[in-house]
């Protein structure tokens, strides 16, 4: 085996391809261990801050940078995916990382990264349903639904009053002062 790049003769040799794939897998497994080391985590943080792995496709995540993740630790099981720390979900990458084995990053990398750098993620904004700009009160499933205990007493009435008192009252612009 020569040190220069493989030529067409090498690429047609099945033994060469097997050795080449084994070498790539060995490098990938070493990479998965290296990125969990303190030096590797710092290098991955630089890439993460630059957005090298892409952004989350969800609108509510506001283009949060994502981290690479492997669904399995076993080689040749699945391709690399991306993990959004804001919505805590896994997506297919948009970039040309589809041909990289997921085991080269491992299933625990994003979680170790976020434990080490817990300031890297902004909190996710909570979606509040509104109709024409007004929050929905009293609807089933609404955050502001009046809830009762077993005795029939309201248990969150004070919370709802506080929210209502904070909201400015909207006056009807068509109504005149003279009645």
């Amino acid at each position: 085996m020569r040190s220069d790049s493989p030529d067409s003769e090498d690429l047609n040799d099945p033994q060469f391809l097997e050795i080449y794939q084994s070498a790539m897998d060995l490098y990938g497994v070493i990479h998965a261990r290296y990125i969990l080391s303190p030096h590797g985590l710092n290098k991955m943080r630089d890439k993460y801050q630059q957005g090298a792995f892409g952004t989350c496709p969800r609108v509510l995540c506001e283009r949060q940078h994502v981290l690479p993740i492997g669904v399995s630790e076993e080689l040749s099981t699945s391709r690399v995916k991306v993990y959004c720390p804001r919505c805590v979900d896994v997506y297919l990458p948009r970039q040309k990382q589809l041909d990289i084995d997921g085991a080269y990053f491992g299933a625990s990398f994003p979680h170790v990264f976020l434990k080490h750098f817990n300031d890297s993620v902004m909190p996710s904004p909570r979606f509040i349903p509104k109709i024409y700009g007004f929050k929905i009160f009293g609807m089933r499933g609404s955050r502001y639904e009046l809830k009762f205990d077993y005795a029939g007493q309201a248990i969150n009435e004070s919370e709802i009053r506080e929210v209502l008192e904070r909201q400015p009252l909207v006056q009807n612009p068509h109504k005149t002062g003279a009645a």
Side-chain angles (χ1 to χ4, degrees), residues 3 12 44 77 102 138 147 156 165 177 179:
S3 63
N12 290 332
M44 292 300 279
T77 302
K147 296 181 178 134
N156 63 342
E165 288 171 2

Side-chain angles (χ1 to χ4, degrees), residues 15 25-27 69 79-80 103 109 127-128 131 134 140 144 154 163 177:
Q15 186 179 7
D25 289 344
L26 177 63
Y27 175 80
I69 186 171
R79 298 287 154 211
V80 69
F109 166 69
F127 178 75
I128 299 173
I131 298 177
F134 297 100
R140 168 165 245 135
Y144 304 106
V163 172

Side-chain angles (χ1 to χ4, degrees), residues 1-140:
M1 194 156 120
R2 299 182 312 252
S3 63
D4 54 11
S5 58
D7 58 5
S8 61
E9 183 180 314
D10 291 334
L11 294 176
N12 290 332
D13 183 14
Q15 186 179 7
F16 174 81
L17 291 175
E18 185 178 331
I19 292 171
Y20 184 76
Q21 183 62 44
S22 296
M24 290 292 293
D25 289 344
L26 177 63
Y27 175 80
V29 172
I30 292 170
H31 178 267
R33 293 291 300 267
Y34 169 73
I35 62 174
L36 294 176
S37 71
H39 190 259
L41 283 170
N42 286 328
K43 285 197 170 228
M44 292 300 279
R45 182 180 191 179
D46 293 340
K47 286 186 171 191
Y48 172 76
Q49 289 174 337
Q50 294 170 0
F53 307 114
T55 58
C56 183
R58 289 191 62 222
V59 174
L60 284 177
C61 287
E62 299 171 344
R63 301 189 55 80
Q64 169 72 43
H65 291 164
V66 292
L67 292 164
I69 186 171
V71 179
S72 174
E73 301 286 342
E74 294 181 29
L75 292 168
S76 303
T77 302
S78 70
R79 298 287 154 211
V80 69
K81 311 282 190 290
V82 291
Y83 172 80
C84 176
R86 201 163 187 186
C87 64
V88 192
D89 211 350
V90 176
Y91 300 97
L92 290 174
R94 288 186 182 176
Q95 298 174 348
K96 297 181 181 182
Q97 300 168 343
L98 294 174
D99 60 340
I100 299 173
D101 197 326
Y104 295 177
F105 292 95
S108 59
F109 166 69
H111 312 298
V112 172
F113 181 89
L114 294 171
K115 276 291 214 191
H116 199 267
F117 303 112
N118 57 1
D119 61 335
S120 298
V121 181
M122 294 173 40
S124 181
R126 184 168 174 90
F127 178 75
I128 299 173
K130 297 178 183 178
I131 298 177
Y132 299 112
F134 297 100
K135 294 178 185 172
I136 302 171
F137 288 94
M139 299 296 293
R140 168 165 245 135

